[in-house]
Amino acid sequence: MTEGLVKETIYGNFFKETLSNIQPEWLKDLREKSFAVFTAKGFPTLKDEDWKYTNLAQLVREQFTIRKNENIDAKKISQLFSETENENRVVFANGIFNAELTNISDLPEGARVLNLGEAVEDETFGVTVREHLGKFVNAETNGFTALNTAFLNEGVFIFIAKNTRVETPIHIAFVADGEAASFPRVLVVAERGSEVTLIESYLRTGEAKYFTNSIIEIVLADDAKLKHTRVQRESHAAFHVTTTAASLNRASVYDSTNITLGARLSRHDINVKFNAEGAEAFVDGLYLVSEEQHADTHSVIDHAVPNCVSHQNYKGIVDEKARAVFNGKVFVRENASGTDAQQSNKNLLLSNDARVDTKPQLEIFNDDVKCAHGATVGQLEEEELFYLLSRGLNEDLARNLLTYGFAEEIINKIEIESIKKQLDEAVLNRLHANLEA
Amino acid sequence: MLLEVKNLHAGIDGKAILKGLNLQINKGEVHAIMGPNGSGKSTLAKVIAGHPSYEVMEGEIIYEGKNLFDLEPDERAREGVFLAFQYPVEVPGVSNSQFLRLAYNEKMKHLGQEELDPLEFNDYLKEKAKVVEMDSSFFKRSVNEGFSGGEKKRNEILQMAVLEPKLAVLDETDSGLDIDALRIVAAGINKLRDSEKAIILVTHYQRLLNYIEPDFVHVLANGKIVKEGGKELALELEEKGYDWVKAAAK
Ligand SMILES: Nc1ncnc2c1ncn2[C@@H]1O[C@H](COP(=O)(O)OP(=O)(O)O)[C@@H](O)[C@H]1O
Ligand SMILES: [Mg+2]
């Protein structure tokens, strides 16, 4: 089946169905334009430089139903969450907001969490949404961004008012329960001096084949601080394509940790742009894939202005026949003197069939900067392994413990206990031991 | 007899390093193995522990009546063999206490004894850390990472204290220690000495033996034991140096 035909059938039909009753007019325009782009461009192919290692042929062939939400198993979904974790939780099931599973009762006065579809029409927030939505991603060049924007409807708008400190994290969970395709969208606007922790998670009730195409846009005003933990645990049959875009203003701090565990095929684009001096970004991540999983991370950190600091630390653990791709571009523009940019990507291959393609790229157009980057691909250290064996750990345990040690730096960045625990277990999956100490 | 090394020939990359070594060790004994650099002391230690880079070309080692070479390195450890490394390995991202508890519990499981949960183990570990006067701040740190040379050696003896081996091979545990650290480590080893355990002290210098009195001293040169005696042999070596044993080995 050709791409054109797919668009005609599933995406095209869905677009026609949903567009009719869209308000306001600007959103309708944006969606129409985006759909036109998607129709013209389609999905990227291996010929696109940014997609040369990630083959989408399987995804293109799939006939998903879109935003299917009948027969959601709310009980099963609720079991995916920690009962003890104190958080404001917004739950989407197959891309559709689920009021029953959502609880955002622990927000201070200055923090608002709205359904995006309502926010665009909101008297107070409609203007803010319009000002920022789609401004940090490019729906004209990226087919997935175009597709998500064409279907823009379900999602979250988070607004943190000036100097508001949100103590309890806001957790947005996208749960797949079945075979649907979903196109969630999140816009976070953190006003001057505000502080918030955002958890973005992708979960599933079973091992279905489905497609998630999401976009998270984040705007940090001067002195705003946002901690962002993203945990992708899609089913191992699923397709997952996400873009995170953060726009940083003066002295703001964006601290993101991106964990990739799931999906048959995943692609995460994370783009951070410095718009004013004194801002700092941490763009860290861990991908842990096995079987025939494929995980692709593309990041762009753009030092467009002077005196900003970026730290990037990505680690990869690739087992069995899995494959990972890391492409990290750091731009230091001509006027961006005083930039401090550190980038590192280390990979651990646990099998002979595992593969990593890593490409850290620093593009520096200014001399007055402090920049370093590096990438490694290696195996477990034999001397470390023998050391553990010599203390009586069996070989599986020793290998798992060393693997855990490799990932620990990233895992320990996560302050949310329930997520950290899940991650401990995922990394130590074959380790039948309790690691608390 | 706890350990019997019979006509051991072993080496690396096809090159023989140990060339017919014999050694007999009973429970409760402390044996010092001395010898010039490159004589094969660490090779012997690694072969006992089962390091995969070393190959055994001839001979055998009987440990508690079993052929040691039938056991994998981790099985040897669970059966009570312990090697304190000359150069302890750093294990980034794995905390000392996690590591020690896993090792301890693996051994307990093997012996059919009760494993300890994190809280119980923490108490146990605190007790054991007193043996080498080690501060509990070391428990949470990654194994040996960023430890000074002396701290690494102390950490080896802490591991020995936790795992309570029947046969401990301490490979130059004294090297790199200042005099205070040497005294602490030696006192720790003496505390762990008892009638059920045997210790092989591999050392280049006599200094350690002032603190830990060996029952036997063996001098290794060119892959063979060339001289054996009581603790007074160590003093003789101190006085005369190794040249005369080297000459004897040729
Ligand atoms: N990994 C190795 N590769 C090659 N040669 C080695 C290796 N380890 C030890 N040797 C050689 O074996 C000999 C004995 O070494 P070793 O057992 O470490 O001696 P000692 O501990 O008595 O100083 C030396 O000549 C040394 O160079
Ligand atoms: Mg040595």
Side-chain angles (χ1 to χ4, degrees), chain B residues 2 24 37 54 56 84 104 131 156 168 203 210-211 233 245:
Chain B
L2 183 66
Q24 299 186 346
N37 283 329
Y54 294 84
V56 174
Y104 177 84
V131 171
E156 294 291 284
T203 180
N210 289 335
Y211 298 92
L233 179 55
V245 291

Side-chain angles (χ1 to χ4, degrees), chain B residues 12-13 15 17 36-43 54 86:
Chain B
I12 201 158
D13 297 333
K15 178 189 141 200
I17 300 170
N37 283 329
S39 57
K41 303 184 298 294
S42 291
T43 300
Y54 294 84
Q86 181 173 4

Side-chain angles (χ1 to χ4, degrees), chain A residues 134-197:
Chain A
K135 297 298 176 348
F136 314 105
V137 290
N138 197 337
E140 272 152 42
T141 58
N142 182 318
F144 285 104
T145 303
L147 189 61
N148 175 284
T149 308
F151 295 160
L152 204 154
N153 179 26
E154 291 283 335
V156 190
F157 173 63
I158 297 175
F159 180 83
I160 315 295
K162 206 165 136 183
N163 297 328
T164 302
R165 216 176 135 209
V166 184
E167 299 279 350
T168 307
I170 299 172
H171 180 178
I172 307 172
F174 300 101
V175 184
D177 184 31
E179 305 221 312
S182 65
F183 302 88
R185 183 88 170 215
V186 177
L187 175 64
V188 181
V189 177
E191 286 207 308
R192 176 191 289 255
S194 63
E195 270 181 54
V196 63
T197 295

